[in-house]
Structures are given as C-alpha cells and as structure tokens.
C-alpha cells in the first residue's frame, strides 16, 4: 500500500518534469531560431579568410538549411542521447561546462539561500513578535529599503565599500589570481564567496523577513492563539507551540519557491563579481550567440527550479497534516 | 442569605479605539455599564442577539481583549479585584474559556496535545481519556487534527478543555450550536454537573430555550449592557413574570411563543441612544427614559428600566 503510494507519487513527478522539459525545450528552441543569432559567424569568429562558400558549407554540414522542425528533432534526439553539443564559446562539451560552472554557482547560491532563509526568518519572527512596537517599525523600514535595491547595484556598492574602500574582500573571481588550482585553499574560496553571496541574499532576505512577519502577525491574532492564551499558555509558549508551527509552511514555500529568483539573481551577482558560475556562463552564452550552451543552461535551470518546487511540495506533506491527507487521497 | 459571588462584574465598559473617516480616531463603546455576578454552583445564562457584547464580556473577564480596547469598571474574582496580570495568572487555571468554534484549535496540532497542554503528566492523560469517553469521543480522537473533526466533535473537545482544566469558573461561549438536540442537552448537562460540583458557569448562548431550563439565572444583554437579570424560572413562566420590555419581546419572539418580532434593530455601538439603550424600540418610552437608567431590584430580579414593576 505504502509502496504503491510512493510509486504513484514518483511517477507523477516524473511525468511532470518530462512534460516541463519538453515544453521548455520547444519554446527556447523557437526563441533561438527566431533570434538574429548566427551560429556560423560565431563558430568562424575572428578567423579571417573564410569565404562565403566555406560558410555555406558549414551551414549545410550543420543542417542549418533544414526546416526548423527537423532541426529541433535532430537537436532533441542528441540531447536524449546525452549529447548537448559543444559550446562554441568554450570549445568543450556543454554538459561538462554546466557541471563545472554549476558546482561553483551551487556554493554561492546555497550560501545565499541559507543566509537569507535563516536570517530572514529570524528577523521576520522578531518583527512579528514586536508587532507595532519600535523594533518592528525600524526593521520593517530597513526591509522595505532592502527590497527596493536592485541586486547589481548593491553588488557594486559592496565592492566599493568592502573591497576597494576597506580591502576586506577580493574584487571578484572565485579564487585568487596567479595561484595554481590545486593550491587554492577552502578558506580562500570562502573569502571569495562572501561578498557575492551577501549580494545575492540581499533581495530575498528582505522578502522572507517581511513575509514571515506578516504571517506571524496573522497567526498571533488568530482565534487559536487567543484560545491558547485563554488556556494559560504564556506568550513565549504560544510562540513556540503555535507560532512557529504555523508560519513554517509559508516560509518553506517562499524559500523553495525562490529558486528561480536565486538563479536569476546569480546571473547579475556573478557578472558584477566576475564569479565564474552558471549565471555568468548563461549571460556569456547569450552575449556570444553560443546556442548549444544557452539551450543547455535553459534546460538545466528549468530542472533546478522544478527541483526547488518539488522539494517544497514534499516538505509540505511532512509539515502540514491537511496536505499529507490530501496527497494520500489523490 | 446571599452567597458570596465567585465572579462579579461591576459597571464594566469596554470601548475600542478605531479609525473613523480618514485619520480621525473614535472610541467605539461596545459594552456599557454592564453588571453581572455568578455564585458557586450556579449557571448564569447570557442571552441576547448577536453583537450585544456577549463574547466580549468573556474576553474582558479573561484579559484577552486586543490592545486597542480600553476597559473601565471592576471585575472581581472571589472578592478580589483583578488586574490584567492577575487575569493572565488565573486563566486556564481558575477561569476557563470554552470558545465558539473549531477555528480556536491550532490547525497543525493534534487535539490531544491541545487539550492536555504542553507537558501532560499521567494523571492529566488519564483524566483526558475519561473526559473524552464521557463525551462519546472515540479512542484515538486525541490523535486527530482539527480539520478531521466533525462540528459536533470539535465542540465536545472544546468543552473538554475546560472540564480538564479544573477551573472554578467556566465561560462557555456558545457551546451548543452545531450539536443535535440530544448532544446539546448532553453538553449542557455536563455544565449542570460541573455547577452541581460547585463550579460556576457563565453560559453564553443562542439556544435560549435550553438555557432557560438548565440555568439558574438568566441575564439578558442588549447593545452591550444587561437589561435584566432574573431567575430562569421567570423566563419559563413568560412575559408576565419578566420585567424588561426587551426580555418580554425576546420571549415572544421564540417560535413556540408566537414568533413575534418587534420593529427596529439593535443600535450600532457608534450611535448609541441617550439613556435607555432600548428606548428607540420601546412602546413605553417616556422623556424620563433619556436619562441614565440604573439597575434596580424588582420582584427579586434586577432590571434596567424605570417603568418596570
């Protein structure tokens, strides 16, 4: 019975992810086909003396003259075989690049994610507890200001203050310059990670905090908190027993739903800090008409966001008995 | 000989500070000069239409009013004047609330954990089991979440929290709607039993009929004040035994007593009439009614009407 339930659950998600990926690949392929990107020009690059005939031959060889549907099927066919093509920019297989860049990005995104999640939740709880009093008022204004600051701008400000002005952090990159890769220490990596991670967490920190505050205020004004107080529970006990439990679910939603923002934000943050992650690679692929890499990253990011939402759904089922029951009855 | 009341409310007024139009703040007086007491072993039923301040009275007694409320008057527990701090100390121990609906239970916590509290000992758990049995709640009910309860079950669970708390005063805020007659009678019987054990019950209810039969005294609320407090017997006898024109009208509005409505409606707290709050709807209104009307003793009951005899 239980096994059957898990099987059904897994099957449902597999079906969803497959349809999602098909839809994303079709749409992004159409967009790329419609764009003025010329892969031949990109491939030939700055090499002089490539005649028009030679260009036509390359185009013919790549099948660029075939109808779009045929081209899509050819691309999708090789993708299904695990061949995402070769990046025109890096001259290496797309999958290798995604794997390499994603590891760098993952460290950055997860740090920012944990940072904004934990601190945002804590700040939100503090604001909710002091609802209407001065700590709440001050923190709330700070959060609203933080919400309105664009990521790339705060990144530049951080660089100016902490790197240029105070010299606490390096100017960018993920490792120090001129040091062989095997000699880079973990501390050096963390040192390079802090500023971009702070920048990336800045936006969602305020969002999480404000959202948590709103939710906690709702909960503390609810009937069941009133009744808990009527049963003699102290303020702290009410917060611990009923408050956290009831704001956890929306916080989880926010946190895992923010995977897409996180990815979008990493494009900006990585560019400002010249951090060699997936975000930087995505914008480089776009700027340099690296079609295979761009499509590969698009598919990968869809998978990444999907994973975030799926995790949120699973955690829902664990936290909320009503949703657990709902899953079981599906 | 009059027994010492365990809870007495004297001249209680509650008002809320609210934003009127724009940034103008206005005080909205929702309870005015309310006087009421409950003795040990007694059930006092509070009857009155929606918006007459019944639930607010319960919240005021427990010190559960929101921050924008201001309270004047006295609330005494066993003759001792209660401050907010003392109310907080007493609630759940000496004074228990039976709230209105399932929304008063935490949706994400099993009902057992809510009924027995934070760290239940063996004795509490045993008592909880017995009480659930008494209320015909099946074994395992304590492991359910509020959304899995039927309306009737939820209500019985809410009542059981008060029973378990061993409080001296039970403020029951509409404990019967949603229960079928049998279950409602059963619930009220339990209040009767509790009262017979020496506890005091303040029963806020719309089931006036049932209340007349189960309660010792009945207090009739209108627009945030008590208009009449009298023995429940008087309410069973009918209008002749009653004192206030509103009580009489309430009695006559009951289905079995003719179902007769009276014109007009209860005034909104923002524009209360001067003097007697019922005067705009009262057939006996005279000029005297626009003055302050005190509670006076008439034929063994108390009434807020100068024409009562």
């Amino acid at each position: 019975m239980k096994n059957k339930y898990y099987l059904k659950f897994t099957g449902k998600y597999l079906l969803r992810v497959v349809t999602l990926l098909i839809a994303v690949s079709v749409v992004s392929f159409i967009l790329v086909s419609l764009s003025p990107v010329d892969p031949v020009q990109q491939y030939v690059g700055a090499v002089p003396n490539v005649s028009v005939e030679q260009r036509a031959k390359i185009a013919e060889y790549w099948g660029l003259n075939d109808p779009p549907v045929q081209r899509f099927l050819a691309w999708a066919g090789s993708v299904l075989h695990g061949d995402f093509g070769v990046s025109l920019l890096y001259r290496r297989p797309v999958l290798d690049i995604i794997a390499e860049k994603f590891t760098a990005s993952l460290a950055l995104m997860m740090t920012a994610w944990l940072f904004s999640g934990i601190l945002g939740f804590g700040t939100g709880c503090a604001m909710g507890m002091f609802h209407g009093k001065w700590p709440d008022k001050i923190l709330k204004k700070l959060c609203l200001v933080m919400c309105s600051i664009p990521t790339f701008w705060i990144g530049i400000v951080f660089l100016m203050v902490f790197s240029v002005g105070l010299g606490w952090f390096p100017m960018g990159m993920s490792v120090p310059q001129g040091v062989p890769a095997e000699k880079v220490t973990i501390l050096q990596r963390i040192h390079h990670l802090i500023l971009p991670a702070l920048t990336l967490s800045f936006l969602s920190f305020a969002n999480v905090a404000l959202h948590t505050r709103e939710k906690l205020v709702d909960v503390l004004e609810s009937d069941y908190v009133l009744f808990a107080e009527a049963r003699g529970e102290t303020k702290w006990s009410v917060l611990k027993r009923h408050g956290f439990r009831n704001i956890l679910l929306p916080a989880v939603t926010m946190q895992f739903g923010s995977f897409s923002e996180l990815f979008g934000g990493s494009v900006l943050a990585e560019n400002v800090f010249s951090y060699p992650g997936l975000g930087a690679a995505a914008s480089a692929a776009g700027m340099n008409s690296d079609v295979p890499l761009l499509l590969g990253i698009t598919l990968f990011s869809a998978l990444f966001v999907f994973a975030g939402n799926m995790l949120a759904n699973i955690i829902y089922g664990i936290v909320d008995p009503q949703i657990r029951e709902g899953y079981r009855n599906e | 000989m009059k027994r010492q009341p365990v809870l007495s409310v004297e001249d209680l007024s509650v008002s809320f500070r609210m934003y009127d139009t724009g940034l103008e703040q206005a005080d909205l007086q929702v309870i005015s000069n309310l006087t009421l007491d409950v003795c040990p072993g007694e059930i006092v039923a509070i009857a009155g239409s929606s918006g007459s301040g019944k639930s607010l009275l319960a919240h005021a007694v427990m010190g559960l009013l929101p921050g924008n409320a201001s309270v004047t008057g006295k609330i005494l527990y066993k003759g001792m004047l209660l401050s907010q701090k003392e109310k907080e100390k007493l609630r759940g121990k000496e004074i228990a609330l039976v709230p209105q609906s399932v929304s008063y239970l935490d949706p994400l916590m099993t009902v057992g954990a809510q009924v027995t509290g934070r760290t239940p000992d063996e004795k509490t758990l045993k008592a909880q089991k017995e009480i659930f049995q008494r209320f015909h709640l099946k074994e395992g009910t304590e492991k359910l979440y509020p959304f899995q309860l039927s309306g009737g079950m939820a209500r019985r669970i809410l009542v059981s929290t008060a029973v378990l708390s061993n409080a001296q005063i039970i403020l029951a805020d509409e404990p019967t709607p949603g229960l079928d007659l049998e279950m409602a009678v059963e619930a009220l019987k339990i209040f009767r039993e509790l009262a017979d054990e020496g506890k005091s019950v303040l029963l806020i209810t719309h089931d006036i009929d049932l209340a007349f039969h189960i309660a010792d005294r009945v207090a009739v609320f209108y627009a945030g004040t008590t208009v009449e407090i009298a023995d429940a017997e008087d309410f069973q006898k009918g209008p002749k035994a009653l004192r206030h024109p509103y009580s009489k009208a309430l009695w006559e509005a009951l289905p079995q007593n003719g179902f007769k409505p009276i014109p007009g409606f209860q005034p909104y707290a923002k524009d209360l009439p001067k003097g007697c709050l019922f005067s705009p709807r009262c057939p006996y209104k005279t000029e005297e009614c626009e003055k302050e009307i005190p509670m006076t003793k008439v034929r063994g009951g108390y009434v807020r009407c100068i024409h009562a005899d």
Side-chain angles (χ1 to χ4, degrees):
Chain A
M1 181 65 210
K2 198 138 200 184
N3 274 335
K4 205 175 153 195
Y5 163 67
Y6 285 120
L7 213 67
K8 213 170 142 189
F9 194 80
T10 321
K12 213 173 66 190
Y13 274 104
L14 270 178
L15 190 73
R16 274 191 205 166
V17 75
V18 167
T19 45
L20 174 79
L21 287 180
I22 290 173
V24 169
S25 55
V26 169
V27 171
S28 44
F29 196 89
I30 291 173
L31 287 176
V32 168
S33 313
L34 292 177
S35 75
V37 163
D38 181 1
V40 178
Q41 175 57 40
Q42 172 57 33
Y43 180 66
V44 170
V47 182
N49 310 330
V50 183
S51 68
V52 177
E53 288 82 41
Q54 280 167 312
R55 281 168 189 256
K57 265 190 187 158
I58 296 172
E60 181 63 38
Y61 175 69
W62 281 354
L64 287 180
N65 302 326
D66 296 342
V69 176
Q70 204 176 326
R71 273 187 285 155
F72 174 74
L73 288 179
W75 174 73
S78 14
V79 164
L80 279 182
H81 287 100
D83 176 13
F84 280 72
V86 174
S87 160
L88 301 176
L89 192 61
Y90 298 91
R91 311 277 164 177
R92 277 165 52 210
V94 167
L95 271 188
D96 288 2
I97 294 169
I98 291 180
E100 178 193 311
K101 302 280 178 191
F102 182 63
T103 359
S105 276
L106 194 66
L108 174 66
M109 289 195 283
M110 283 304 117
T111 316
W113 187 73
L114 287 175
F115 195 73
S116 66
I118 294 167
L119 275 181
F121 189 75
T123 314
C125 286
M127 286 194 286
M129 261 152 45
F130 290 105
H131 178 220
K133 306 205 177 74
W134 63 266
D136 173 42
K137 284 182 184 163
I138 294 173
L139 284 171
K140 190 176 152 193
K141 282 188 183 111
L142 269 177
C143 284
L144 286 173
V145 170
M146 281 171 79
C147 261
S148 351
I149 296 175
T151 309
F152 70 90
W153 186 83
I154 196 71
I156 294 169
V157 171
F158 277 169
L159 271 180
M160 278 163 60
V161 175
F162 295 109
S163 299
V164 181
L166 296 167
W168 290 355
F169 295 103
M171 278 299 287
M173 321 295 282
S174 67
V175 287
Q177 271 179 324
V179 179
E182 62 275 10
K183 282 200 179 152
V184 179
T185 62
I186 188 92
L187 272 179
Q188 280 172 326
R189 283 185 192 278
I190 291 173
H191 193 207
H192 281 78
L193 190 72
I194 292 175
L195 267 197
L198 260 179
T199 307
L200 189 52
S201 64
F202 211 70
L203 178 96
S204 57
F205 164 83
N207 262 335
V208 170
L210 286 173
H211 201 261
T212 306
R213 169 188 182 273
E214 212 52 42
K215 205 57 211 177
L216 188 61
V217 169
D218 278 356
V219 168
L220 291 182
E221 279 172 3
S222 71
D223 287 345
Y224 54 84
V225 162
L226 184 96
F227 185 44
E229 283 176 358
R231 289 196 308 264
E233 287 193 30
T234 58
K235 212 176 167 189
W236 176 238
S237 151
V238 164
L239 198 70
K240 231 170 31 182
R241 264 163 68 88
H242 306 288
F244 291 144
R245 200 182 283 251
N246 281 283
I247 54 174
L248 205 60
L249 195 64
V252 163
T253 321
M254 273 291 277
Q255 202 50 15
F256 284 91
S258 73
F259 270 34
S260 57
E261 281 170 45
L262 204 61
F263 198 87
S266 77
V267 174
L268 297 170
E270 288 178 8
N271 272 312
V272 171
F273 289 92
S274 326
Y275 193 91
L278 203 57
S283 63
M287 302 297 269
N288 297 300
S289 319
D290 189 345
V291 177
L293 185 59
L294 195 59
L295 286 177
I297 292 178
T298 308
L299 280 184
F300 185 79
S301 62
L303 204 62
F304 181 70
V305 173
F306 178 84
N309 290 337
M310 187 180 70
L311 282 174
N313 271 342
I314 292 171
I315 292 171
Y316 267 22
I318 298 168
V319 177
D320 191 330
Q322 300 188 44
I323 296 176
R324 200 185 311 151
E325 185 97 346
Y327 281 167
R328 217 153 271 164
N329 292 339
E330 259 176 31
Chain B
M1 189 199 91
K2 182 128 170 60
R3 281 170 304 171
Q4 157 103 19
V6 61
L7 177 77
S8 43
V9 177
E10 289 170 19
D11 253 343
L12 180 80
S13 296
V14 176
S15 52
F16 286 102
R17 181 137 273 245
M18 296 200 137
Y19 282 103
D20 208 5
T21 37
L23 290 175
E24 291 272 307
Q25 285 194 331
D27 281 329
L28 206 59
Q29 180 142 349
V30 282
I31 292 185
S32 9
N33 307 102
L34 189 148
T35 300
L36 187 73
D37 56 22
V38 200
C39 292
E42 188 184 40
I43 296 182
V44 175
I46 296 178
S49 59
S50 306
S52 59
K54 299 184 307 262
S55 300
L56 276 173
L57 169 69
H59 292 180
V61 168
M62 302 205 77
L64 288 171
L65 293 171
N68 62 338
S70 58
V71 182
T72 59
K74 291 186 204 162
I75 295 171
L76 298 125
Y77 175 69
K78 292 184 176 163
M80 178 180 72
L81 189 66
L82 290 185
S83 66
Q84 176 67 21
K85 222 179 198 163
E86 280 151 341
K87 284 179 196 166
E88 281 171 22
K89 237 183 266 165
L90 290 180
R91 64 195 183 199
K93 296 184 192 76
E94 301 291 319
I95 309 176
L97 176 75
V98 178
Q100 280 182 1
S101 72
V102 69
S103 73
Y104 286 81
L105 289 172
D106 186 334
L108 298 183
M109 191 183 273
T110 58
V111 295
Q114 300 190 59
V115 171
T116 53
R118 211 169 348 157
T119 43
D121 48 27
E122 286 290 308
K123 219 175 96 200
T124 320
L125 286 174
K126 209 175 140 233
Q128 175 251 318
K129 280 221 167 84
E130 278 171 19
I131 292 163
F132 273 30
Q133 227 161 35
R134 187 161 151 202
F135 281 109
H136 308 292
L137 290 163
K138 266 187 267 148
E139 205 160 314
T141 305
E142 70 274 8
K143 292 202 189 74
L144 295 179
Y145 288 93
F147 75 97
Q148 292 165 311
L149 305 174
S150 70
M153 280 163 90
R155 220 165 276 285
R156 279 175 275 161
I157 283 163
L158 292 172
V159 175
S160 63
T161 57
V163 179
L164 192 70
S165 71
N166 241 330
Q168 286 309 303
I169 305 172
I170 294 171
L171 305 172
D173 194 356
E174 313 244 5
T176 49
L179 298 180
D180 55 44
L181 187 65
E182 203 181 323
M183 214 60 231
V185 170
E186 179 69 21
L188 291 180
K189 252 195 217 154
I190 283 163
F191 287 123
R192 187 68 260 175
E193 279 171 34
L194 290 170
D196 292 344
E197 286 166 21
K199 292 179 176 163
S200 315
V201 180
L202 210 55
L203 182 68
I204 296 167
T205 185
H206 274 130
D207 280 337
I208 309 175
D209 266 346
L210 289 176
F212 290 171
H213 286 96
I214 213 97
D216 299 299
R217 284 189 295 152
V218 176
V220 178
F221 273 35
Y222 184 79
T225 194
T226 37
V227 293
E228 177 165 358
I229 304 173
D231 283 343
E233 267 173 43
D234 295 349
F235 284 85
Q236 290 175 32
K237 284 184 204 145
K240 286 231 165 65
L242 294 173
R243 296 152 190 86
H244 197 278
Y246 179 68
S247 314
K248 295 180 189 186
L250 194 63
W251 191 90
E252 280 171 353
L254 291 177
Q256 68 275 33
N257 300 338
F259 223 170
K260 267 189 297 217
I262 56 165
F265 43 83
Q266 187 173 254
Y268 176 51
K270 215 174 114 187
D271 18 55
L272 292 179
K274 251 200 269 169
C276 174
L277 298 176
F278 185 64
S279 60
R281 299 167 78 182
C282 185
Y284 311 108
K285 189 193 166 183
T286 57
E287 238 170 70
E288 295 287 288
C289 293
E290 290 191 7
K291 290 183 190 142
E292 188 96 345
I293 316 282
M295 279 297 250
T296 43
K297 197 163 183 178
V298 174
R299 284 184 275 120
Y302 291 87
V303 64
R304 201 184 288 281
C305 178
I306 45 170
H307 301 295
D309 46 29

